[in-house]
Amino acid sequence: TPATSKVAQLQTQLAVLDKKFVNRWQFLYRYCDPQQTYFGMTYDGATNVDELRELTTPYIFRRTKTDVFKTLPKEFHEFLPMEIDTALYDKEMTQLKKEMQTKYLSEEEIDERMAKFESLSYTAKRSQIIQWIKDFLELNDKLVVYTWFRATSNDLLTAFKKCATMVNGETPTKDKQANIDAFNTDPKVKLFIGQIASVKEGISLASADSVLFAELGSANSGAVEQASNRLWLPELDQKHFSYYYAVGAGSFEEKRIKVLQQRARMLSSVLDNNEGAQLFGQTLSEILEK
C-alpha cells in the first residue's frame, strides 16, 4: 500500500518515478486539498482525483482481497461503548486547546498530542476492558487484543499473565516469533496482546478469529486495516472474523473513528477507484449516530 493515511504520502514515491511529481508544493496544492487553518496550511484531503488517478495509473498497481479471491470470510464489527468520566475528559481537552492557542504546533505535533490525550480514555475504561476480555475468554478459545501505547500492552499483560503472550516495541527480536508461535499453537495461551506498530505486518495470528482494539491512538486507517488482516490466511478455510472496538462514550475516539473511515474512503478513491470502501464495517455511521 503506497499510502496509508494521506494522498500527500504518494508524492515522495512518485517523484522517483516521474519528474512530473518532483515539485512537492505543486503536488500538495493540486492534489491534497490545501486548507488554511489557525495553525497554518493543511494537506489532508484529496482534490482533482480523476486527474491524479490517470497520472499514477502507470506506476500504481494494487489488488485488494476482493479482486483476487472469490470468497472471503464474513466480517462482524461491533463498537463497545465504554463509560468514562466526561468531566475529567473535558477538563483535559480544554487544557489541550489552550496549549494549541499559545504555541505553534504542526499537524504532526497536534496528532501526536491527540494520541497521548487518548491514553486518558484507556485509563478511564481499563476495568471495563479487562472485564470484557475475561468474559470473552470464558466462552471462546482465542482473542487478539491490539493497543497503541506500549504502557497499555504492558498493563494488559500484567492483568492476564497466566494466559497471555505479547509483542510490543520492547519485545526482543529473538522472542517475537516465539511469542507469536506460542499463541498460535499452545491451547493454554488464549490471549495475544499486540502493539499495532509492532505487529501490523509480516506475521500471522490465524489461530484466532476475533480481535479487540483496546485503543486506536494515532494509528492511521492503513495500520488498522493491516492489523485486522493478521488473522487471515488464504489457504485456511476461515468462515468469519469478529472485530470489536472499545470506544470511550462521548470521547475524542468517536470523532477519530469517523476521520479514519473518511480517510480510508479517500485513499481508496485514489488507489482503487472505489469511493465506497469502508473501514470498521459497513455500518459505522449508523452505529455512531445512534
Side-chain angles (χ1 to χ4, degrees):
T1 302
T4 58
S5 177
K6 303 177 183 180
V7 173
Q9 293 175 325
L10 293 172
Q11 185 272 331
T12 303
Q13 303 166 72
L14 291 170
V16 176
L17 302 170
D18 194 319
K19 63 181 181 181
K20 291 194 296 288
F21 302 107
V22 170
N23 190 318
R24 179 166 180 79
W25 296 113
Q26 182 180 358
F27 185 94
L28 293 176
Y29 275 92
R30 181 69 180 167
Y31 303 115
C32 302
D33 190 25
Q35 296 290 326
Q36 180 67 50
T37 71
Y38 180 83
F39 303 102
M41 294 296 296
T42 62
Y43 308 92
D44 296 334
T47 44
N48 300 303
V49 171
D50 291 340
E51 176 185 313
L52 178 60
R53 192 186 302 122
E54 182 178 352
L55 290 173
T56 57
T57 295
Y59 309 112
I60 296 179
F61 177 75
R62 198 169 89 113
R63 303 187 72 184
T64 64
K65 291 188 295 184
T66 54
D67 295 327
V68 179
F69 300 95
K70 294 182 178 179
T71 59
L72 291 170
K74 293 182 179 180
E75 293 185 3
F76 170 78
H77 297 259
E78 182 177 358
F79 289 81
L80 309 173
M82 302 279 174
E83 294 298 324
I84 65 171
D85 185 340
T86 55
L88 178 60
Y89 211 87
D90 290 342
K91 179 180 178 181
E92 294 290 333
M93 178 61 83
T94 300
Q95 180 61 37
L96 180 60
K97 288 180 178 179
K98 287 182 179 179
E99 182 180 352
M100 290 167 63
Q101 291 174 354
T102 57
K103 300 179 180 179
Y104 174 77
L105 300 176
S106 67
E107 283 299 306
E108 290 74 16
E109 289 173 323
I110 293 172
D111 193 51
E112 180 65 21
R113 300 292 178 91
M114 288 296 187
K116 291 181 179 178
F117 176 77
E118 287 181 52
S119 66
L120 174 64
S121 176
Y122 171 72
T123 302
K125 63 192 182 183
R126 176 182 182 274
S127 61
Q128 298 167 77
I129 289 175
I130 290 176
Q131 187 59 53
W132 189 92
I133 294 173
K134 289 179 179 178
D135 293 342
F136 183 93
L137 292 178
E138 284 186 4
L139 301 174
N140 301 274
D141 292 331
K142 299 275 187 177
L143 175 67
V144 173
V145 176
Y146 285 130
T147 72
W148 183 253
F149 295 101
R150 193 176 300 176
T152 304
S153 57
N154 287 332
D155 179 66
L156 289 174
L157 181 64
T158 299
F160 294 96
K161 57 185 177 181
K162 292 183 179 180
C163 66
T165 188
M166 179 189 74
V167 172
N168 68 7
E170 297 175 335
T171 305
T173 302
K174 62 182 180 63
D175 295 336
K176 180 177 179 179
Q177 190 58 51
N179 292 351
I180 294 168
D181 291 342
F183 175 71
N184 283 326
T185 61
D186 189 343
K188 294 180 180 179
V189 181
K190 299 168 68 69
L191 184 66
F192 179 86
I193 303 164
Q195 188 180 7
I196 294 174
S198 300
V199 298
K200 63 184 177 66
E201 298 174 327
I203 71 167
S204 171
L205 301 169
S207 65
D209 60 17
S210 298
V211 171
L212 170 67
F213 283 84
E215 60 190 2
L216 293 170
S218 58
N220 56 46
S221 57
V224 173
E225 183 178 7
Q226 288 173 318
S228 299
N229 285 332
R230 294 309 93 210
L231 276 64
W232 179 65
L233 277 180
E235 60 267 29
L236 299 182
D237 187 24
Q238 296 159 297
K239 301 300 184 183
H240 72 276
F241 295 125
S242 297
Y243 300 96
Y244 303 93
Y245 310 88
V247 180
S251 74
F252 180 75
E253 287 178 310
E254 292 184 343
K255 296 179 182 178
R256 183 162 185 80
I257 285 170
K258 289 185 177 181
V259 170
L260 286 174
Q261 192 193 41
Q262 290 168 355
R263 290 191 176 181
R265 284 199 301 265
M266 175 188 68
L267 285 173
S268 187
S269 71
V270 175
L271 299 176
D272 307 319
N273 194 19
N274 178 13
E275 296 182 0
Q278 297 286 327
L279 186 69
F280 306 114
Q282 295 292 324
T283 57
L284 172 67
S285 298
E286 297 175 2
I287 292 172
L288 292 182
E289 291 172 1
K290 288 181 179 179

